[in-house]
Amino acid sequence: MSSTRRGRYGRGVTTTHPLDLAPAHTPDAFAHEFLLNLNFDRGVTLAESSANDRYLALAHTVRDYLMARWLDDLTRQKQTQAKGVCYLSAEYLLGRQLDNNLLAGGLTDIAAQALDGLGLSLDELRGHEVEPGLGNGGLGRLAACFIDSLATLGVPNIGYGIRYEYGIFRQTFVEGQQVEQPDAWLALGSPWEFARPEDAQTVSFGGRTEKYDDDGVTRSRWIPAWNVQAVPYNYMVPGFENGRVNTLRLWSAVATNAFDLRIFNSGDYEEAVRAQTYAANISKVLYPEDSTPQGKELRLQQQYFFVAASIHDFLDNMLAEGYDLNRLPERVIFQLNDTHPVIAVPEFMRVLIDEKKLEWDAAWAITRQCFAYTCHTLLPEALEVWPVELLGRLLPRHLEIIYRINEEFLDAVRERYGDDELRIRNMSIIAEHPVRSVRMAYLATVAGARVNGVAELHSQLLRDKVLSDFSDFYPEKFTNVTNGVTPRRFLRLANPSLSSLITETIGEGWVTDLERLRELEPFADDASFLARFAEVKAANKRRLGEVLRERDGVDVSDGHMLDVMVKRLHEYKRQMLKVLHIVSQYEGVISGRLSASDLQPRTVIFGAKAAPGYAMAKRIIHLINAVGSVVNADPRLDGRLKVIFPPNYNVTLAERVIPAADLSEQISLAGKEASGTGNMKFALNGALTIGTDDGANVEIRELVGDDDFFLFGMSEPEVSALSDRGYRPSEFYQADEGLRRAIDLIASGAFSRGDRSVFEPVVSNLLYEDRFMVLADYASYMTAQERVDAAYRDADGWNRSAVLNVARTGFFSSDRSIRDYIDRIWHTPPVI
Ligand code: 26Q
């Protein structure tokens, strides 16, 4: 059908190479292709089409242009048999696809002109895309940045993950409190995906294992109890203007025929339909937690489901005929994005031993070279463990394999250190308390060829604290790869005005060579450049104002500093510290100790989702909204302090908020934020950071310099020392009048119509527990904010600092991160 349709062009209809069928790079050809898609794919005329029809036809048109390159790359990856990266991630927080794919394909201008010629607007149509929110936050967005860089660098890569039917929930506020709505992102069609039911894999669960005699060799096998089909959906991952298109392959669960048949044969039709639902549940919804995993059975099913399908997919489809499995390390590296895909390790062993009949030692030698593990946390409660009871019930053969890996590992530990039982207990992959469980981070560390943290400080703390016994035992495994962000989405697309200014100033090429931003440094002292830079920031603020007015009906005041804190709501990130700053300023004015005219006009923008089961996080959201409605309405402030909390912060909103920001809040307790990546996006867009010495803030400050970064708070060693001494938050409360007044005002019910009970849990938690030492850093934070105010009053000085932030943070391109992974972990050169 497609060739008859293309035949209308009369170009190369007989050839099978899609490049000959691709429409020409002209507005006319683009318009023609768009109309064909509207008519033949959507089945409507332009006059009858809905906005969604037009968006879908546009997306299909972009696809058509990228298709030839994609098919080439699929063929190339099989033909060259070059080593590639299988990135295993339970999350990909992709954001909208249309603009990114237009940019990568060099199609933006052609598309805009083509649509213009038809009386349509690209600007209007791009707004109709629902972003695929298949991730919680930093980790999922990092995966999306990484596959963009892999494609841009020309590295063979498949990203494997889960096609959740519902992504991260849509957040709404009802009376200031978070209410979650399902994210039906597929409802209006999903033009970027290609279902490949013919490539489906079967994934098994449950049952038992048994020993059998295989020609004199005793082997184990798994007799599963049930299985599901994993159906892959492919997404294009185009490199930036390099003609390369990699693949993201997301798996969707459906019931197998066998699954139904057994029940159909029993004559129970209703039960058979229920079975369908049970299977499809596996990929139904993204778990909206980003820490303190709950150990839910369905979550383990999701994890095994996608990694088993991915491993089989790679082995079945990517290896040359008769490939010698002992050489797999020359062909592939599986990168484990946190512990979520770690069950891939015993699965890989099971395939090699039970299915491919390799000996244990040979299989283990291959496995140890084919996996590498990235850790993304420092919070002990965020380290994933699975109860042995649950794992053994769902994956009995895998549990056996894990036990054997552990036995051999502990033997090696004994050999090195003798019978140091405490050490053995501490290093065992199996924990005995509170219930016998598998420690997934330990399994990953034992199996992985490399273990990396995501910023220098984080990697150091992994070595010295979280995994110190392991770094003693395997010093060569541990390394750092500092995170990065893709400059395509977070600079070029999100900030077109700044991008144009950069290109006019230093020329093209910086989008794929971000260290070239250094060439902007001399312009930090060039008055005419600074004036243009200031105008870019002002225009970005106006653009954000329009978005917020249209989206939420709120106004952003002119002339305000935009002070922004956007990230998941978590106590360790300390949104509370920001709240205390706002409340202190407010209290100062209403108590008459400050005059409103003393305030540097500021608008504080928050964006944050709380895990639905995280009660304290939800209370803090409620408090922020409550403080916002009181502060915004109080005439005594003379409009000089505003709080805006747009609901449903996501990638699309980030792309508007970040380029408009003046001040970036990165205020976690030192030693708790593994890296942060929002911090990088802000600096690259010319916001100044107020931040603690934590995660990648450390590296940002080293690059930007102390003069252009507002550092405050305890360092990680100071935090450790305070906690060893015994931290008593009430002492800080007693000692600091400003702090006392702010907390008392919240406790008084001033933000809850006099009802003191509403925020009582927040207040008590701060006074009597304060795990993340908000009160200990309060004074230092307040003085740092005074430095911010003073600096902002000097507009030229501020702009100069902002320019230096842009010029000096090119290091944080995810292209650099990926080069680091290639050099130190993957050894997968680009394929030209
Ligand atoms: C695990 C099991 C069960 C349910 C949920 C989870 C789960 C899901 C997501 C646990 C953690 C996450 C996400 C973690 C995350 O986003 N971490 C962040 O990763 C960024 C990229 O490396 C860092 O910049 C951040 O510092 C880190 O917090």
Side-chain angles (χ1 to χ4, degrees), residues 36-61:
L36 285 177
N37 275 312
L38 201 57
N39 298 159
F40 294 96
D41 184 72
R42 299 307 303 156
V44 291
T45 63
L46 182 54
E48 289 160 349
S49 64
S50 68
N52 188 50
D53 286 324
R54 295 189 290 270
Y55 162 69
L56 292 173
L58 174 58
H60 275 256
T61 305

PDB file of all heavy atoms in Angstrom, residues 36-61:
ATOM      1  N   LEU A  36      -1.012  14.168   2.095  1.00  0.00           N
ATOM      2  CA  LEU A  36      -1.219  12.725   1.900  1.00  0.00           C
ATOM      3  C   LEU A  36      -1.512  12.052   3.234  1.00  0.00           C
ATOM      4  O   LEU A  36      -2.432  11.236   3.338  1.00  0.00           O
ATOM      5  CB  LEU A  36       0.029  12.083   1.284  1.00  0.00           C
ATOM      6  CG  LEU A  36       0.285  12.342  -0.193  1.00  0.00           C
ATOM      7  CD1 LEU A  36       1.609  11.689  -0.611  1.00  0.00           C
ATOM      8  CD2 LEU A  36      -0.858  11.774  -1.035  1.00  0.00           C
ATOM      9  N   ASN A  37      -0.743  12.409   4.237  1.00  0.00           N
ATOM     10  CA  ASN A  37      -0.964  11.803   5.553  1.00  0.00           C
ATOM     11  C   ASN A  37      -2.326  12.174   6.111  1.00  0.00           C
ATOM     12  O   ASN A  37      -3.015  11.342   6.709  1.00  0.00           O
ATOM     13  CB  ASN A  37       0.141  12.217   6.523  1.00  0.00           C
ATOM     14  CG  ASN A  37       1.368  11.317   6.401  1.00  0.00           C
ATOM     15  OD1 ASN A  37       1.236  10.097   6.387  1.00  0.00           O
ATOM     16  ND2 ASN A  37       2.522  11.913   6.274  1.00  0.00           N
ATOM     17  N   LEU A  38      -2.699  13.425   5.911  1.00  0.00           N
ATOM     18  CA  LEU A  38      -3.998  13.866   6.412  1.00  0.00           C
ATOM     19  C   LEU A  38      -5.115  13.076   5.723  1.00  0.00           C
ATOM     20  O   LEU A  38      -6.023  12.548   6.363  1.00  0.00           O
ATOM     21  CB  LEU A  38      -4.142  15.371   6.147  1.00  0.00           C
ATOM     22  CG  LEU A  38      -5.145  16.140   6.977  1.00  0.00           C
ATOM     23  CD1 LEU A  38      -4.878  16.003   8.467  1.00  0.00           C
ATOM     24  CD2 LEU A  38      -5.100  17.630   6.596  1.00  0.00           C
ATOM     25  N   ASN A  39      -5.001  12.941   4.409  1.00  0.00           N
ATOM     26  CA  ASN A  39      -6.037  12.252   3.654  1.00  0.00           C
ATOM     27  C   ASN A  39      -6.013  10.745   3.850  1.00  0.00           C
ATOM     28  O   ASN A  39      -7.039  10.132   4.157  1.00  0.00           O
ATOM     29  CB  ASN A  39      -5.898  12.524   2.149  1.00  0.00           C
ATOM     30  CG  ASN A  39      -6.052  13.997   1.794  1.00  0.00           C
ATOM     31  OD1 ASN A  39      -5.598  14.431   0.740  1.00  0.00           O
ATOM     32  ND2 ASN A  39      -6.668  14.771   2.670  1.00  0.00           N
ATOM     33  N   PHE A  40      -4.821  10.155   3.689  1.00  0.00           N
ATOM     34  CA  PHE A  40      -4.768   8.690   3.623  1.00  0.00           C
ATOM     35  C   PHE A  40      -4.546   8.032   4.981  1.00  0.00           C
ATOM     36  O   PHE A  40      -4.909   6.891   5.170  1.00  0.00           O
ATOM     37  CB  PHE A  40      -3.691   8.238   2.627  1.00  0.00           C
ATOM     38  CG  PHE A  40      -4.019   8.606   1.216  1.00  0.00           C
ATOM     39  CD1 PHE A  40      -3.516   9.756   0.654  1.00  0.00           C
ATOM     40  CD2 PHE A  40      -4.873   7.800   0.462  1.00  0.00           C
ATOM     41  CE1 PHE A  40      -3.836  10.112  -0.644  1.00  0.00           C
ATOM     42  CE2 PHE A  40      -5.198   8.156  -0.845  1.00  0.00           C
ATOM     43  CZ  PHE A  40      -4.681   9.322  -1.400  1.00  0.00           C
ATOM     44  N   ASP A  41      -3.932   8.731   5.868  1.00  0.00           N
ATOM     45  CA  ASP A  41      -3.717   8.137   7.182  1.00  0.00           C
ATOM     46  C   ASP A  41      -4.826   8.555   8.143  1.00  0.00           C
ATOM     47  O   ASP A  41      -5.424   7.723   8.828  1.00  0.00           O
ATOM     48  CB  ASP A  41      -2.349   8.552   7.735  1.00  0.00           C
ATOM     49  CG  ASP A  41      -2.059   7.865   9.061  1.00  0.00           C
ATOM     50  OD1 ASP A  41      -1.810   6.651   9.039  1.00  0.00           O
ATOM     51  OD2 ASP A  41      -2.131   8.531  10.111  1.00  0.00           O
ATOM     52  N   ARG A  42      -5.134   9.840   8.190  1.00  0.00           N
ATOM     53  CA  ARG A  42      -6.192  10.305   9.087  1.00  0.00           C
ATOM     54  C   ARG A  42      -7.570  10.134   8.459  1.00  0.00           C
ATOM     55  O   ARG A  42      -8.573  10.112   9.170  1.00  0.00           O
ATOM     56  CB  ARG A  42      -6.008  11.786   9.461  1.00  0.00           C
ATOM     57  CG  ARG A  42      -4.722  12.104  10.181  1.00  0.00           C
ATOM     58  CD  ARG A  42      -4.504  11.240  11.405  1.00  0.00           C
ATOM     59  NE  ARG A  42      -5.608  11.341  12.355  1.00  0.00           N
ATOM     60  CZ  ARG A  42      -5.908  10.399  13.249  1.00  0.00           C
ATOM     61  NH1 ARG A  42      -5.190   9.295  13.313  1.00  0.00           N
ATOM     62  NH2 ARG A  42      -6.921  10.562  14.072  1.00  0.00           N
ATOM     63  N   GLY A  43      -7.625  10.097   7.139  1.00  0.00           N
ATOM     64  CA  GLY A  43      -8.911   9.928   6.474  1.00  0.00           C
ATOM     65  C   GLY A  43      -9.793  11.164   6.543  1.00  0.00           C
ATOM     66  O   GLY A  43     -11.011  11.066   6.707  1.00  0.00           O
ATOM     67  N   VAL A  44      -9.174  12.337   6.463  1.00  0.00           N
ATOM     68  CA  VAL A  44      -9.969  13.585   6.458  1.00  0.00           C
ATOM     69  C   VAL A  44      -9.388  14.559   5.438  1.00  0.00           C
ATOM     70  O   VAL A  44      -8.229  14.449   5.047  1.00  0.00           O
ATOM     71  CB  VAL A  44      -9.939  14.287   7.852  1.00  0.00           C
ATOM     72  CG1 VAL A  44     -10.694  13.491   8.891  1.00  0.00           C
ATOM     73  CG2 VAL A  44      -8.512  14.572   8.304  1.00  0.00           C
ATOM     74  N   THR A  45     -10.189  15.483   5.043  1.00  0.00           N
ATOM     75  CA  THR A  45      -9.678  16.589   4.225  1.00  0.00           C
ATOM     76  C   THR A  45      -9.163  17.661   5.176  1.00  0.00           C
ATOM     77  O   THR A  45      -9.508  17.678   6.364  1.00  0.00           O
ATOM     78  CB  THR A  45     -10.787  17.214   3.368  1.00  0.00           C
ATOM     79  OG1 THR A  45     -11.758  17.761   4.263  1.00  0.00           O
ATOM     80  CG2 THR A  45     -11.432  16.188   2.460  1.00  0.00           C
ATOM     81  N   LEU A  46      -8.375  18.545   4.617  1.00  0.00           N
ATOM     82  CA  LEU A  46      -7.846  19.631   5.449  1.00  0.00           C
ATOM     83  C   LEU A  46      -9.000  20.429   6.064  1.00  0.00           C
ATOM     84  O   LEU A  46      -8.979  20.756   7.258  1.00  0.00           O
ATOM     85  CB  LEU A  46      -6.950  20.537   4.594  1.00  0.00           C
ATOM     86  CG  LEU A  46      -6.275  21.706   5.310  1.00  0.00           C
ATOM     87  CD1 LEU A  46      -5.483  21.238   6.524  1.00  0.00           C
ATOM     88  CD2 LEU A  46      -5.356  22.461   4.339  1.00  0.00           C
ATOM     89  N   ALA A  47     -10.012  20.677   5.254  1.00  0.00           N
ATOM     90  CA  ALA A  47     -11.129  21.492   5.739  1.00  0.00           C
ATOM     91  C   ALA A  47     -11.856  20.822   6.905  1.00  0.00           C
ATOM     92  O   ALA A  47     -12.317  21.497   7.832  1.00  0.00           O
ATOM     93  CB  ALA A  47     -12.106  21.767   4.600  1.00  0.00           C
ATOM     94  N   GLU A  48     -11.932  19.491   6.859  1.00  0.00           N
ATOM     95  CA  GLU A  48     -12.683  18.784   7.919  1.00  0.00           C
ATOM     96  C   GLU A  48     -11.814  18.408   9.110  1.00  0.00           C
ATOM     97  O   GLU A  48     -12.310  17.912  10.122  1.00  0.00           O
ATOM     98  CB  GLU A  48     -13.241  17.465   7.356  1.00  0.00           C
ATOM     99  CG  GLU A  48     -14.363  17.629   6.376  1.00  0.00           C
ATOM    100  CD  GLU A  48     -14.512  16.373   5.516  1.00  0.00           C
ATOM    101  OE1 GLU A  48     -13.607  15.494   5.557  1.00  0.00           O
ATOM    102  OE2 GLU A  48     -15.522  16.301   4.810  1.00  0.00           O
ATOM    103  N   SER A  49     -10.524  18.597   8.967  1.00  0.00           N
ATOM    104  CA  SER A  49      -9.626  18.028   9.980  1.00  0.00           C
ATOM    105  C   SER A  49      -9.723  18.741  11.318  1.00  0.00           C
ATOM    106  O   SER A  49      -9.960  19.945  11.389  1.00  0.00           O
ATOM    107  CB  SER A  49      -8.187  18.089   9.469  1.00  0.00           C
ATOM    108  OG  SER A  49      -7.792  19.438   9.313  1.00  0.00           O
ATOM    109  N   SER A  50      -9.522  17.978  12.371  1.00  0.00           N
ATOM    110  CA  SER A  50      -9.408  18.567  13.712  1.00  0.00           C
ATOM    111  C   SER A  50      -7.960  18.954  13.951  1.00  0.00           C
ATOM    112  O   SER A  50      -7.064  18.522  13.219  1.00  0.00           O
ATOM    113  CB  SER A  50      -9.842  17.550  14.769  1.00  0.00           C
ATOM    114  OG  SER A  50      -8.895  16.495  14.809  1.00  0.00           O
ATOM    115  N   ALA A  51      -7.735  19.718  14.990  1.00  0.00           N
ATOM    116  CA  ALA A  51      -6.359  20.096  15.336  1.00  0.00           C
ATOM    117  C   ALA A  51      -5.535  18.834  15.593  1.00  0.00           C
ATOM    118  O   ALA A  51      -4.370  18.742  15.202  1.00  0.00           O
ATOM    119  CB  ALA A  51      -6.346  21.000  16.560  1.00  0.00           C
ATOM    120  N   ASN A  52      -6.155  17.856  16.239  1.00  0.00           N
ATOM    121  CA  ASN A  52      -5.427  16.613  16.510  1.00  0.00           C
ATOM    122  C   ASN A  52      -5.072  15.885  15.213  1.00  0.00           C
ATOM    123  O   ASN A  52      -3.967  15.367  15.072  1.00  0.00           O
ATOM    124  CB  ASN A  52      -6.253  15.724  17.445  1.00  0.00           C
ATOM    125  CG  ASN A  52      -5.457  14.504  17.914  1.00  0.00           C
ATOM    126  OD1 ASN A  52      -4.324  14.628  18.384  1.00  0.00           O
ATOM    127  ND2 ASN A  52      -6.046  13.320  17.748  1.00  0.00           N
ATOM    128  N   ASP A  53      -6.012  15.870  14.255  1.00  0.00           N
ATOM    129  CA  ASP A  53      -5.708  15.281  12.944  1.00  0.00           C
ATOM    130  C   ASP A  53      -4.482  15.944  12.339  1.00  0.00           C
ATOM    131  O   ASP A  53      -3.587  15.284  11.807  1.00  0.00           O
ATOM    132  CB  ASP A  53      -6.870  15.504  11.961  1.00  0.00           C
ATOM    133  CG  ASP A  53      -8.079  14.618  12.240  1.00  0.00           C
ATOM    134  OD1 ASP A  53      -7.881  13.461  12.645  1.00  0.00           O
ATOM    135  OD2 ASP A  53      -9.217  15.097  12.040  1.00  0.00           O
ATOM    136  N   ARG A  54      -4.454  17.253  12.407  1.00  0.00           N
ATOM    137  CA  ARG A  54      -3.357  17.995  11.761  1.00  0.00           C
ATOM    138  C   ARG A  54      -2.037  17.730  12.490  1.00  0.00           C
ATOM    139  O   ARG A  54      -0.999  17.558  11.854  1.00  0.00           O
ATOM    140  CB  ARG A  54      -3.684  19.492  11.700  1.00  0.00           C
ATOM    141  CG  ARG A  54      -4.898  19.784  10.808  1.00  0.00           C
ATOM    142  CD  ARG A  54      -5.099  21.271  10.555  1.00  0.00           C
ATOM    143  NE  ARG A  54      -5.532  22.012  11.719  1.00  0.00           N
ATOM    144  CZ  ARG A  54      -6.812  22.215  12.071  1.00  0.00           C
ATOM    145  NH1 ARG A  54      -7.800  21.710  11.334  1.00  0.00           N
ATOM    146  NH2 ARG A  54      -7.103  22.906  13.157  1.00  0.00           N
ATOM    147  N   TYR A  55      -2.106  17.688  13.817  1.00  0.00           N
ATOM    148  CA  TYR A  55      -0.884  17.354  14.561  1.00  0.00           C
ATOM    149  C   TYR A  55      -0.382  15.959  14.171  1.00  0.00           C
ATOM    150  O   TYR A  55       0.814  15.756  13.903  1.00  0.00           O
ATOM    151  CB  TYR A  55      -1.114  17.440  16.080  1.00  0.00           C
ATOM    152  CG  TYR A  55      -0.044  16.687  16.824  1.00  0.00           C
ATOM    153  CD1 TYR A  55       1.265  17.158  16.842  1.00  0.00           C
ATOM    154  CD2 TYR A  55      -0.310  15.445  17.419  1.00  0.00           C
ATOM    155  CE1 TYR A  55       2.283  16.432  17.450  1.00  0.00           C
ATOM    156  CE2 TYR A  55       0.696  14.720  18.023  1.00  0.00           C
ATOM    157  CZ  TYR A  55       1.991  15.212  18.030  1.00  0.00           C
ATOM    158  OH  TYR A  55       2.999  14.481  18.600  1.00  0.00           O
ATOM    159  N   LEU A  56      -1.307  14.983  14.133  1.00  0.00           N
ATOM    160  CA  LEU A  56      -0.903  13.604  13.818  1.00  0.00           C
ATOM    161  C   LEU A  56      -0.332  13.505  12.407  1.00  0.00           C
ATOM    162  O   LEU A  56       0.680  12.830  12.175  1.00  0.00           O
ATOM    163  CB  LEU A  56      -2.086  12.650  14.000  1.00  0.00           C
ATOM    164  CG  LEU A  56      -2.548  12.452  15.452  1.00  0.00           C
ATOM    165  CD1 LEU A  56      -3.831  11.612  15.500  1.00  0.00           C
ATOM    166  CD2 LEU A  56      -1.475  11.796  16.315  1.00  0.00           C
ATOM    167  N   ALA A  57      -0.963  14.194  11.462  1.00  0.00           N
ATOM    168  CA  ALA A  57      -0.455  14.154  10.080  1.00  0.00           C
ATOM    169  C   ALA A  57       0.931  14.779  10.010  1.00  0.00           C
ATOM    170  O   ALA A  57       1.818  14.293   9.301  1.00  0.00           O
ATOM    171  CB  ALA A  57      -1.423  14.880   9.152  1.00  0.00           C
ATOM    172  N   LEU A  58       1.128  15.846  10.770  1.00  0.00           N
ATOM    173  CA  LEU A  58       2.445  16.495  10.799  1.00  0.00           C
ATOM    174  C   LEU A  58       3.494  15.533  11.368  1.00  0.00           C
ATOM    175  O   LEU A  58       4.588  15.376  10.806  1.00  0.00           O
ATOM    176  CB  LEU A  58       2.348  17.774  11.634  1.00  0.00           C
ATOM    177  CG  LEU A  58       3.650  18.526  11.909  1.00  0.00           C
ATOM    178  CD1 LEU A  58       4.344  18.917  10.600  1.00  0.00           C
ATOM    179  CD2 LEU A  58       3.359  19.773  12.756  1.00  0.00           C
ATOM    180  N   ALA A  59       3.136  14.881  12.470  1.00  0.00           N
ATOM    181  CA  ALA A  59       4.071  13.932  13.087  1.00  0.00           C
ATOM    182  C   ALA A  59       4.407  12.809  12.100  1.00  0.00           C
ATOM    183  O   ALA A  59       5.577  12.431  11.946  1.00  0.00           O
ATOM    184  CB  ALA A  59       3.467  13.368  14.371  1.00  0.00           C
ATOM    185  N   HIS A  60       3.400  12.310  11.404  1.00  0.00           N
ATOM    186  CA  HIS A  60       3.643  11.242  10.426  1.00  0.00           C
ATOM    187  C   HIS A  60       4.541  11.726   9.294  1.00  0.00           C
ATOM    188  O   HIS A  60       5.367  10.972   8.777  1.00  0.00           O
ATOM    189  CB  HIS A  60       2.317  10.728   9.868  1.00  0.00           C
ATOM    190  CG  HIS A  60       1.705   9.672  10.736  1.00  0.00           C
ATOM    191  ND1 HIS A  60       1.736   8.340  10.412  1.00  0.00           N
ATOM    192  CD2 HIS A  60       1.084   9.763  11.926  1.00  0.00           C
ATOM    193  CE1 HIS A  60       1.144   7.640  11.384  1.00  0.00           C
ATOM    194  NE2 HIS A  60       0.735   8.486  12.310  1.00  0.00           N
ATOM    195  N   THR A  61       4.399  12.974   8.951  1.00  0.00           N
ATOM    196  CA  THR A  61       5.226  13.520   7.871  1.00  0.00           C
ATOM    197  C   THR A  61       6.688  13.563   8.309  1.00  0.00           C
ATOM    198  O   THR A  61       7.586  13.181   7.552  1.00  0.00           O
ATOM    199  CB  THR A  61       4.720  14.929   7.500  1.00  0.00           C
ATOM    200  OG1 THR A  61       3.331  14.822   7.182  1.00  0.00           O
ATOM    201  CG2 THR A  61       5.480  15.496   6.321  1.00  0.00           C
TER     202      THR A  61
END
